[in-house]
Every structure is written in C-alpha cells, then in structure tokens.
Amino acid sequence: MKISVELTMTPLQDDFEPAIIHFIKKLRASNLKVLENPLSTQVYGNYDEVMKLLTVEIKEAFELIERGLLHMKIVKSDRYDYEPHF
C-alpha cells in the first residue's frame, strides 16, 4: 500500500535548526521520494518502508532536542505527482 506523509517538526527551544537539518538529511538519504518546502517535508512510498524509516528518524530527532512537536499527516495514496487543477 502506498502512502504520502507530511511532517512538520517544531522544536520548542532556541537552538532548533541543527535538529531539523539533521532530520531532513536523514530522510533525503533514504530510497524514498522526499519533497521539502519552507513549512513541511513530505515522504512518499510503501507504507512499511515509510513507517520503518520514520520510526527510527523521529526517535533520533527527538533525542537531539529538549522539547518539541511533530505534526504528521498520512494519506493512503501516493500523492507525489499531485498537481492542482485550478
């Protein structure tokens, strides 16, 4: 089953950039499709592969920050090629 996941990490501390950069670089290093924009990062692929990667990388990212939030949306379909039609 294919999924699309949107992630927004919000460390609740002053020195937050290194943890976010590390998290995104780890996602980029995977074999999955990853897109980034200023507000979020999207990961696309097979459910088992995406969730396995996210389980490991979210834990590591949380270990690098003192406090933080992670907003995650999961859609059951591969929306990688989505283009609005309006």
Side-chain angles (χ1 to χ4, degrees):
M1 153 185 19
K2 298 288 186 180
I3 63 170
S4 304
V5 179
E6 179 180 65
L7 303 157
T8 303
M9 180 181 284
T10 309
L12 302 173
Q13 61 189 53
D14 290 334
D15 188 25
F16 61 87
E17 234 175 47
I20 293 174
I21 291 169
H22 179 79
F23 181 63
I24 292 172
K25 285 184 175 181
K26 295 294 289 253
L27 296 178
R28 284 179 186 167
S30 73
N31 292 327
L32 300 171
K33 294 182 271 186
V34 177
L35 293 178
E36 304 153 36
N37 65 55
L39 299 176
S40 65
T41 301
Q42 293 86 39
V43 182
Y44 306 89
N46 179 283
Y47 179 91
D48 292 329
E49 292 176 56
V50 172
M51 297 309 286
K52 181 178 178 181
L53 171 71
L54 293 180
T55 298
V56 171
E57 298 309 333
I58 291 170
K59 181 178 180 182
E60 184 174 321
F62 279 169
E63 289 172 344
L64 294 174
I65 60 176
E66 187 175 328
R67 289 178 304 280
L69 301 170
L70 179 80
H71 300 272
M72 179 167 54
K73 298 177 195 173
I74 303 173
V75 177
K76 185 186 172 191
S77 69
D78 187 335
R79 305 294 289 167
Y80 181 76
D81 295 323
Y82 171 77
E83 291 185 30
H85 299 289
F86 54 87

